């Protein structure tokens, strides 16, 4: 439209229109105008009127878009604020859900073992570099009731023991380590031995129940639990499940490969057993 108004054609039309308007004004002043002359004027002026109406409608449309854009902007800002509030509520929900899961695990252990004194659940804050047995750190220490050699567990089973402890943190060595020894046996048979780590079984994520009678009656799938001897570990806590029965090199005894009940490679939280029935034996021995 802007280009048309600046064009030569537009200027010619405007000149003609000005001439006709002059003629009509002269005719009116002389009292000689007719209906036909007015009709001719309207016919010539009609395109300009339509152009004027089109420009007016276009301006109204632009103004309407501007007003609507302002409304949309305000609505968009309001929606962003609502989304931010919903995200904050979702974060609170997730945190609450995690806390409830922790409490559920804590309560589950306590219900099964009423003689236990448990710490609050601790986060696994990192694994020890270059340690093949999965030794890790927790964010709990002596200020939280953690003691050296205290058993570390989840609701699913035994994890390991505290081997280093500070005020705020502690180190946990898992049952996959050959440095850990746990008196253990079948939950149904009167057969006992010692659970410890094995370099040969580490690649499978297994530990082993050593020093079994070579005629052992243990079979695959049977549960292995702590016996509670010597007071280092509580009695009756699940360690894992028998996978295979093997004879030792000398053929004098047997051992069972044990799949831990806990996925030791995927830990996020653990609980330390601060006190339990029979712990006095360990304390007296120290």
């Amino acid at each position: 439209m802007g280009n048309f108004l600046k064009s030569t054609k537009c200027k010619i039309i405007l000149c003609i229109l000005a001439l006709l308007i002059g003629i009509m004004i002269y005719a009116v002043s002389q009292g000689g105008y007719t209906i036909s002359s007015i009709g001719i004027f309207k016919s010539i002026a009609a395109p300009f009127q339509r152009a004027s109406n089109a420009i007016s409608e276009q301006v109204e449309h632009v103004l309407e878009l501007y007003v609507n854009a302002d409304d949309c902007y305000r609505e968009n800002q309001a929606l962003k604020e609502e989304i931010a509030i919903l995200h904050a509520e979702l974060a609170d929900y997730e945190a609450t859900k995690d806390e409830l899961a922790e409490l559920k695990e804590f309560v589950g252990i306590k219900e099964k073992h009423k003689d236990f004194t448990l710490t609050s659940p601790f986060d696994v804050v990192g694994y020890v570099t270059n340690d093949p047995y999965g030794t890790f750190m927790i964010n709990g220490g002596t200020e939280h009731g953690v003691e050296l050699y205290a058993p570390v567990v989840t609701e699913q089973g035994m994890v390991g023991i505290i081997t280093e402890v500070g005020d705020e943190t502690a180190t946990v060595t898992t049952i996959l380590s050959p440095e850990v020894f746990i008196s253990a046996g079948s939950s149904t048979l009167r057969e006992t031995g010692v659970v410890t780590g094995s370099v040969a079984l580490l690649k499978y994520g297994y530990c082993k129940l050593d020093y079994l009678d070579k005629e052992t009656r243990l079979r695959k799938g049977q549960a292995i639990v702590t016996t509670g001897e010597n007071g280092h570990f509580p009695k009756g806590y699940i360690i894992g499940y028998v996978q295979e029965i093997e004879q030792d090199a000398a053929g004098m005894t047997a051992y069972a490969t044990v799949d831990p009940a806990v996925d030791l490679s995927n830990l996020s939280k653990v609980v330390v057993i601060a006190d339990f029935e029979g712990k006095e034996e360990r304390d007296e021995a120290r």
Side-chain angles (χ1 to χ4, degrees), residues 133 176 178 197-204 206:
Y133 306 109
L176 297 179
S198 165
V199 175
L201 297 175
L202 182 62
K203 61 182 177 181
Y204 306 109
Y206 295 161

Side-chain angles (χ1 to χ4, degrees), residues 69-145:
D70 191 51
D71 291 339
C72 288
Y73 173 77
R74 287 194 294 269
E75 290 177 6
N76 188 44
Q77 291 300 111
L79 287 173
K80 285 182 178 179
E81 291 176 1
E82 290 180 12
I83 290 171
I85 292 172
L86 289 174
H87 281 167
E89 290 178 351
L90 179 61
D92 290 341
Y93 167 76
E94 293 295 337
T96 301
K97 186 173 71 171
D98 290 342
E99 290 175 3
L100 289 175
E102 292 175 17
L103 182 60
K104 180 181 177 182
E105 180 158 325
F106 182 88
V107 171
I109 298 172
K110 190 66 179 175
E111 285 179 347
K112 294 176 184 177
H113 306 275
K114 299 186 184 302
D115 62 304
F116 288 1
T117 299
L118 304 173
T119 65
S120 298
F122 296 122
D123 294 325
V124 175
V125 296
Y127 285 82
V128 175
T129 305
N130 298 325
D131 182 272
Y133 306 109
T135 301
F136 60 88
M137 305 285 293
I138 59 174
N139 62 344
T142 54
E143 293 188 2
H144 308 93

Side-chain angles (χ1 to χ4, degrees), residues 230-245:
N230 302 320
H232 289 282
F233 294 88
K235 183 179 180 179
Y237 211 91
I238 184 72
I239 297 175
Y241 302 91
V242 173
Q243 293 301 300
E244 300 288 344
I245 303 296

Side-chain angles (χ1 to χ4, degrees), residues 43-224:
S43 297
I44 294 172
F48 296 96
Q49 185 176 6
R50 287 196 296 271
S52 175
N53 290 339
I55 293 172
S56 176
E57 290 175 0
Q58 191 69 16
V59 170
E60 289 179 2
H61 179 65
V62 171
L63 290 174
E64 185 179 355
L65 287 176
Y66 176 78
V67 173
N68 289 341
D70 191 51
D71 291 339
C72 288
Y73 173 77
R74 287 194 294 269
E75 290 177 6
N76 188 44
Q77 291 300 111
L79 287 173
K80 285 182 178 179
E81 291 176 1
E82 290 180 12
I83 290 171
I85 292 172
L86 289 174
H87 281 167
E89 290 178 351
L90 179 61
D92 290 341
Y93 167 76
E94 293 295 337
T96 301
K97 186 173 71 171
D98 290 342
E99 290 175 3
L100 289 175
E102 292 175 17
L103 182 60
K104 180 181 177 182
E105 180 158 325
F106 182 88
V107 171
I109 298 172
K110 190 66 179 175
E111 285 179 347
K112 294 176 184 177
H113 306 275
K114 299 186 184 302
D115 62 304
F116 288 1
T117 299
L118 304 173
T119 65
S120 298
F122 296 122
D123 294 325
V124 175
V125 296
Y127 285 82
V128 175
T129 305
N130 298 325
D131 182 272
Y133 306 109
T135 301
F136 60 88
M137 305 285 293
I138 59 174
N139 62 344
T142 54
E143 293 188 2
H144 308 93
V146 177
E147 295 182 358
L148 194 62
Y149 305 125
V152 179
V153 300
T154 68
E155 186 180 12
Q156 289 72 39
M158 185 66 62
V159 171
I161 61 171
I162 301 293
T163 50
E164 293 182 23
V165 60
D167 294 338
E168 298 287 342
T169 61
T171 301
V172 180
T173 301
T174 73
I175 59 176
L176 297 179
S177 172
E179 296 179 1
V180 175
F181 301 91
I182 307 173
S183 179
S186 168
S187 59
T188 56
L189 302 174
R190 290 178 174 242
E191 294 199 43
T192 61
V194 175
V195 167
T196 188
S198 165
V199 175
L201 297 175
L202 182 62
K203 61 182 177 181
Y204 306 109
Y206 295 161
C207 49
K208 67 177 182 177
L209 177 61
D210 220 343
Y211 308 118
L212 294 172
D213 189 288
K214 64 179 181 179
E215 302 297 332
T216 179
R217 294 176 294 159
L218 286 177
R219 295 294 180 266
K220 182 175 181 178
Q222 289 184 306
I224 302 300

